[in-house]
Amino acid sequence: MKLLDTLSKEEQEVDISKKVKIYLCGVTVYDESHIGHARTIIVFDVLRKYFESKGIGIEFIQNFTDVDDKIINRANKENKTAEEISSKYIENYFTDFDGLNVKRATNYPKATEHIEDIIKFIEKLIEKDIAYTTKNGVYFSVSKFPEYGKLSKKKIDDLQSGSRIEIDEEKKDPLDFAVWKLSDKEPTWESPWGKGRPGWHIECSAMSIKYLGENFDIHGGGRDLIFPHHENEIAQSESCTGIQFAKIWMHVGMVTIDGEKMSKSIGNVKSIKHVLENWGPNIIRLFCLSGHYSKPIDYSEELLKENLTKWRQVETCHYELIHANNETGEEINEFVTKIGMEFDTALNDDFNTHLALSAFFQLAKETNRLAAEEKLGLNNSKTIKEELKRMLEILGLKIPEITDNQKEEIDKLIIDREKARNGKQFEDADKIRDKLNEMNIELIDHKEKTIWMRKEMIRAEK
RNA sequence: GGUACUCUGGCAGAACGGUUAUGCGUGAGCCUGCAAAGCUUAUACAAGGGGGUUCGACUCCCUCGGGUACCUCCA
C-alpha cells in the first residue's frame, strides 16, 4: 500500500513485512467529541481494519491528551478537578466511538500516566543542549534543529517575522516552545526543574517512541495538527534520537460546515452524540469515507441523506442474499473477483476510500439486479455473501442483527398476508404489511416469493 | 503578508496526456392488487479565467483570480 506522505510530498510504500506501527493523535479530553474527530478516527479505523483483513499485524496507539489548559479551565469553571473532567470525557469518548463501531486501539496512553517518560525525554534534550530552562519552564530551542519547518514547509524566518506568539522575555527565541511549564496550579508533578506540567507536544514524542520505537511506520492526525504540533514532535524526537521519526505522515482533511471549519466560536460544532442519534453509525461512516481522506469534506444533511439511500441498497442486497434460495443462479465468480480487486486496488493507492466504496456499491447493485431478475441462487449468493462480508468488516459497517423469535414472527405474518392476498383480501394484507412496517420490517414482493428486510431505524429519516 | 491545500456536470466525487468514472438527483419504463424496495433505461455543450507545451490536456508549464486551512489552541 502506498500513502501520500505529508513530509516528503511523495507516495511512500508501507512496509508490511512486519507489524505496521501506527500512532494517531487523539483528542484533548475537555469536551464532547465531534464529527471532525470522528472522521479522522474512522479513516484510521478502516486503515487498520484493512491491514488486519490482509493478515498484517498492527500496533495502533492513540493518545489522550489529559493535561492541558483547556481542561484546567473547564475544571475551574465547573469547580471540579482536572482529573474529573478528563475522565468524564474519556468515558464519553468511548461511548461515542464504540457507537461508531470503531475498534479499540492497541493502547490509549494518557499524558498524565507518562510523566516519568516525559521527564526523561526532556532530560535528554537538556543534556544534548537542545532544551534550556528559564524561570517559566523548559523550552525547546528551535534554532538547534535546523530542519525545523520541514513538515509544514514553513521557513523559520517567516515564522519569526509573522509571529503572533506572545512575547516572553525569558525565551531565547519567540519560536521556542515549552516542553515543561512550571506552575503551582494543579495538576502538577515534581520534576528536576520544579513543580509543573508537561507542554503539549512532548507527550506525543515520548509516548509514540515508548510504544512504537524511535522510527515507526505511520503517524497521523487531522491536517490542523501539522503545525505546530507535528512539526514540534519531529523537532523534539529527531533531535533527541538523531534518526528519522515517523516514516509516513498521514493527515486527514477537516470536516467543514458550509465550507467553514467547525469551531466553538462559530458555534457550528456537530457532536458525535447528536449525529449518531439521528443517523446511526453506518451512515456516518459512509459519509466520512465518501471523499479522499486528505481533502476537506462538507457536512450537510443532504449528503447524509444521500448516504442513507446508498445504505438502503446495501441492506436490500444483504437481505436478498439471505433469502436467496433458487437452485441455480447466474455465474458470478469473475465479477465478484473483479470487484474485490477494484476495492483493494483503490485502498492500496493512497487509501482511496471513495473508489473502494464505488466498488462496494457496485457489488450491492449487481446483487440487487440478479435478485430482480430471479437469478440469485444458492451458489452465487454464497460467493457474494463472502465478499460483501469482507468489505463490510473493513469498512466497519454493520447490518443490525435480528433474533430467531422475531424471524419466526415475521415469517408467520408474511404467510398470513399471502393468504389474504391470494384471497384478494387486500385490506387485511395491507394491515399486516403496516404492522410489519411498524416493526421496521419492509417487505419485498418478488414474482415467486415475498422476502423481508429489516431497515435500520434512522431518526433523521422520519 | 507567508505557507499549504483546493477550484470537475443540479449535487457529491474519482482516475487518466488520447473513450471525461461512479453515485445521488431528475425523466421514462419494468415489477406490483396497490405500494415499497429493487432493477432497466435516458439525462449532464462538466474541468475558475487567460496563455503556453503537445498531433492531442481536465490531466504538464506559466499567469491571473476565487475558496479554505495553518501561521495561537484545534481532529
Side-chain angles (χ1 to χ4, degrees):
Chain A
M1 176 193 273
K2 284 186 290 187
L3 291 172
L4 186 67
D5 168 36
T6 311
L7 179 56
S8 64
K9 292 173 95 173
E10 283 168 9
E11 287 196 344
Q12 305 279 354
E13 192 69 37
V14 181
D15 178 12
I16 53 168
S17 62
K18 44 190 184 296
K19 264 193 181 181
V20 176
K21 296 180 175 180
I22 306 171
Y23 186 91
L24 176 64
C25 285
V27 297
T28 301
V29 278
Y30 74 104
D31 205 347
E32 288 189 324
S33 303
H34 55 67
I35 186 77
H37 300 118
R39 151 120 112 147
T40 302
I41 287 160
I42 286 168
V43 164
F44 275 81
D45 185 52
V46 176
L47 182 70
R48 67 93 56 102
K49 281 172 174 159
Y50 180 59
F51 282 133
E52 285 173 332
S53 78
K54 295 288 178 199
I56 298 160
I58 66 122
E59 188 86 18
F60 182 50
I61 305 294
Q62 184 185 322
N63 73 306
F64 280 123
T65 296
D66 62 346
V67 239
D68 178 86
D69 287 345
K70 282 191 204 144
I71 298 171
I72 296 167
N73 291 343
R74 179 133 194 177
N76 290 340
K77 213 183 197 174
E78 296 186 13
N79 219 357
K80 287 181 177 150
T81 65
E83 204 275 330
E84 282 169 330
I85 294 293
S86 61
S87 61
K88 174 182 166 186
Y89 287 107
I90 286 172
E91 204 175 297
N92 191 80
Y93 172 92
F94 284 119
T95 306
D96 286 346
F97 283 87
D98 289 347
L100 286 170
N101 197 21
V102 168
K103 188 173 172 181
R104 298 266 178 128
T106 314
N107 199 350
Y108 291 93
K110 298 181 193 121
T112 54
E113 290 173 0
H114 294 78
I115 301 295
E116 284 285 308
D117 301 288
I118 291 169
I119 288 174
K120 275 186 205 150
F121 201 101
I122 296 171
E123 279 178 331
K124 263 191 223 163
L125 289 174
I126 293 175
E127 253 170 56
K128 293 195 169 194
D129 198 29
I130 292 159
Y132 58 91
T133 54
T134 76
K135 66 175 184 188
N136 294 326
V138 184
Y139 287 84
F140 182 92
S141 182
V142 167
S143 63
K144 295 280 169 68
F145 188 68
E147 290 176 290
Y148 192 80
K150 67 178 177 178
L151 181 72
S152 54
K153 321 291 175 212
K154 291 182 192 304
K155 293 193 189 84
I156 292 184
D157 292 350
D158 293 340
L159 281 169
Q160 281 169 337
S161 58
S163 175
R164 282 191 274 153
I165 302 162
E166 57 187 276
I167 293 161
D168 176 348
E169 291 299 329
E170 297 294 316
K171 288 202 300 193
K172 291 182 184 167
D173 184 317
L175 292 183
D176 293 349
F177 54 90
V179 289
W180 188 265
K181 294 176 178 173
L182 293 174
S183 169
D184 285 330
K185 280 187 210 146
E186 290 301 322
T188 58
W189 291 265
E190 290 298 340
S191 84
W193 317 284
K195 252 169 108 177
R197 60 177 191 270
W200 174 35
H201 319 293
I202 197 75
E203 59 170 284
C204 285
S205 288
M207 297 193 297
S208 59
I209 289 174
K210 174 171 181 172
Y211 290 99
L212 301 175
E214 294 180 351
N215 172 242
F216 55 91
D217 298 290
I218 302 169
H219 191 135
R223 283 205 92 83
D224 52 352
L225 294 184
I226 292 174
F227 191 92
H229 186 54
H230 289 161
E231 192 71 61
N232 290 358
E233 270 188 61
I234 291 178
Q236 292 162 349
S237 304
E238 296 193 352
S239 56
C240 183
T241 66
I243 63 167
Q244 181 194 34
F245 185 43
K247 290 175 187 155
I248 297 172
W249 287 90
M250 183 173 169
H251 290 106
V252 180
M254 298 293 101
V255 176
T256 58
I257 292 189
D258 298 324
E260 274 182 308
K261 185 180 167 181
M262 283 192 293
S263 82
K264 291 251 163 69
S265 49
I266 303 177
N268 59 357
V269 175
K270 298 282 173 189
S271 75
I272 293 173
K273 185 171 174 246
H274 172 258
V275 182
L276 207 45
E277 273 172 7
N278 285 300
W279 296 95
N282 295 313
I283 312 300
I284 298 173
R285 291 185 70 105
L286 287 173
F287 166 73
C288 287
L289 299 168
S290 65
H292 193 267
Y293 72 84
S294 65
K295 292 190 178 178
I297 189 170
D298 202 51
Y299 176 95
S300 71
E301 299 281 311
E302 286 70 29
L303 282 181
L304 258 354
K305 205 179 257 174
E306 181 175 328
N307 282 295
L308 172 58
T309 306
K310 294 175 181 179
W311 179 241
R312 292 295 184 221
Q313 291 170 9
V314 175
E315 283 183 321
T316 304
C317 161
H318 173 258
Y319 285 99
E320 291 287 5
L321 289 169
I322 284 182
H323 295 289
N325 59 2
N326 287 354
E327 281 296 307
T328 52
E330 197 173 282
E331 174 56 41
I332 194 81
N333 288 350
E334 206 176 300
F335 176 81
V336 173
T337 307
K338 191 190 110 211
I339 287 289
M341 274 174 60
E342 277 178 28
F343 185 86
D344 287 9
T345 304
L347 293 181
N348 288 336
D349 183 12
D350 198 20
F351 205 57
N352 193 329
T353 52
H354 183 269
L355 280 182
L357 284 179
S358 284
F360 170 67
F361 291 128
Q362 268 181 60
L363 182 65
K365 186 144 192 124
E366 179 67 5
T367 306
N368 292 340
R369 200 207 97 221
L370 291 172
E373 294 179 5
E374 310 287 345
K375 286 177 183 164
L376 205 53
L378 293 168
N379 55 341
N380 58 4
S381 66
K382 187 166 173 279
T383 311
I384 300 171
K385 244 186 243 173
E386 280 168 15
E387 185 59 17
L388 190 77
K389 184 173 173 241
R390 181 181 83 95
M391 292 180 178
L392 284 169
E393 273 171 15
I394 291 169
L395 297 169
L397 304 170
K398 258 188 196 162
I399 309 237
E401 294 290 326
I402 193 159
T403 66
D404 287 343
N405 279 347
Q406 285 172 305
K407 278 184 201 164
E408 262 177 48
E409 194 190 345
I410 294 163
D411 287 337
K412 201 181 142 286
L413 286 168
I414 288 179
I415 290 167
D416 291 348
R417 174 169 171 266
E418 273 314 295
K419 280 182 195 156
R421 286 177 80 202
N422 289 336
K424 303 222 183 291
Q425 304 291 315
F426 294 126
E427 259 180 46
D428 292 346
D430 288 351
K431 260 184 208 159
I432 296 173
R433 186 165 67 191
D434 290 344
K435 187 178 171 190
L436 282 160
N437 279 158
E438 273 166 37
M439 296 157 67
N440 265 311
I441 302 298
E442 188 160 301
L443 299 181
I444 303 174
D445 288 331
H446 280 89
K447 285 194 188 88
E448 304 294 331
K449 64 183 180 198
T450 294
I451 68 162
W452 56 266
M453 62 180 273
R454 179 171 172 217
K455 288 165 71 177
E456 185 181 342
M457 238 264 276
I458 304 293
R459 252 211 219 168
E461 196 178 18
K462 299 272 154 70

